[in-house]
Amino acid sequence: MRSAEEGWFCFAVAAGIMMVGETAFAATGDTTGTPDPTFGDAYYTFIEGGGALGYGAASLVAGAYTGIATTPALIIHSLEHHHH
């Protein structure tokens, strides 16, 4: 059985792959009159996209881990204050 962290990591990777795939399909529109990108443009786009994907995946995993780790304590704390 997988741990919750492994599950969230797999989910983040799958979500990132789907986002990259959707971007590639969205970019197949009409490009009449659009100049071809240079190697420098393509390199910069690749680096920026990879950074954004990595930041998004890391944020998703960190947020999920924090939520899973702190939710039980928050629920217990809330019940202690509202249970007279």
Side-chain angles (χ1 to χ4, degrees):
M1 188 168 161
R2 290 185 173 175
S3 70
E5 291 137 3
E6 289 173 343
W8 281 109
F9 178 75
C10 291
F11 173 77
V13 170
I17 290 171
M18 288 189 306
M19 284 185 249
V20 170
E22 289 174 10
T23 303
F25 287 121
T28 60
D30 183 23
T31 58
T32 307
T34 306
D36 291 335
T38 65
F39 177 79
D41 293 338
Y43 178 79
Y44 177 75
T45 301
F46 179 79
I47 296 300
E48 287 294 311
L53 177 64
Y55 178 78
S59 296
L60 179 66
V61 171
Y65 182 77
T66 302
I68 291 168
T70 60
T71 298
L74 292 172
I75 291 171
I76 291 170
H77 181 73
S78 177
L79 291 175
E80 287 174 354
H81 287 288
H82 294 289
H83 191 59
H84 297 279

